[in-house]
Amino acid sequence: MNYFQVVQVFIRTPGGSIFGRRQHGDKDDDTAVGPCRDFVQFMNDRGGNAKLVEIPGAYHQFDSFYKLAYFGDIENPSQCANTGDPEGKIYTLDKTGKTYPFNSEGFAALRKDCIGRGAHAGGSGIEGVGFDLWTNFLAETLRP
């Protein structure tokens, strides 16, 4: 099984409660963990019950079948965290504060300014860690 770097699930119960779970390797150099922390806080500030699980020693694609390796030529979006404001019709690149039009051309320009190259990816050496975390979360959340 291959569980990718940031896996998330949000469940709304019949009573309206929202439970969320995100899993992220704490050494992931392809997808920054900071925006994930911010998103969980955003959900919880609005009445959700979200949790971020940071898996020690894990990189991108931490529950993969292949061994950890460095891929020097892949796109790396770790510096591309942005805030979209459809009403103001802009994207703001969080790292620099630079703004872009809120359309496909603006998003393409934002990516051009922030995409890097290279990242680590592959198994964390803890076989099934993602699967076990998900199984437990779903059993706890969906149990009657």
Side-chain angles (χ1 to χ4, degrees):
M1 293 191 158
N2 189 0
Y3 293 90
F4 293 100
Q5 79 292 356
V6 180
V7 185
Q8 66 180 6
V9 167
F10 289 94
I11 300 168
R12 182 180 299 271
T13 65
S17 297
I18 298 175
F19 294 87
R21 170 69 62 97
R22 293 177 73 107
Q23 297 178 179
H24 199 290
D26 72 348
K27 291 188 174 183
D28 191 329
D29 56 357
D30 184 68
T31 303
V33 72
C36 297
R37 290 182 189 126
D38 294 345
F39 184 72
V40 166
Q41 186 66 51
F42 175 86
M43 292 295 294
N44 290 338
D45 288 349
R46 285 151 184 80
N49 184 3
K51 182 177 180 184
L52 172 65
V53 176
E54 294 183 47
I55 300 167
Y59 287 87
H60 201 71
Q61 297 181 333
F62 56 82
D63 211 10
S64 182
F65 59 89
Y66 60 89
K67 291 183 179 185
L68 178 65
Y70 182 76
F71 298 89
D73 198 36
I74 63 169
E75 285 189 348
N76 184 326
S78 64
Q79 301 300 308
C80 292
N82 65 84
T83 305
D85 179 5
E87 292 183 22
K89 298 187 177 14
I90 60 169
Y91 291 108
T92 303
L93 185 57
D94 294 351
K95 183 174 97 173
T96 64
K98 184 174 177 180
T99 59
Y100 304 82
F102 196 80
N103 56 34
S104 58
E105 292 84 7
F107 191 71
L110 178 146
R111 285 183 51 83
K112 183 178 178 190
D113 286 350
C114 65
I115 289 288
R117 306 298 295 180
H120 293 85
S124 64
I126 310 169
E127 188 174 328
V129 66
F131 182 80
D132 294 343
L133 288 168
W134 278 115
T135 301
N136 293 335
F137 166 70
L138 293 171
E140 292 167 9
T141 304
L142 299 177
R143 184 173 290 139

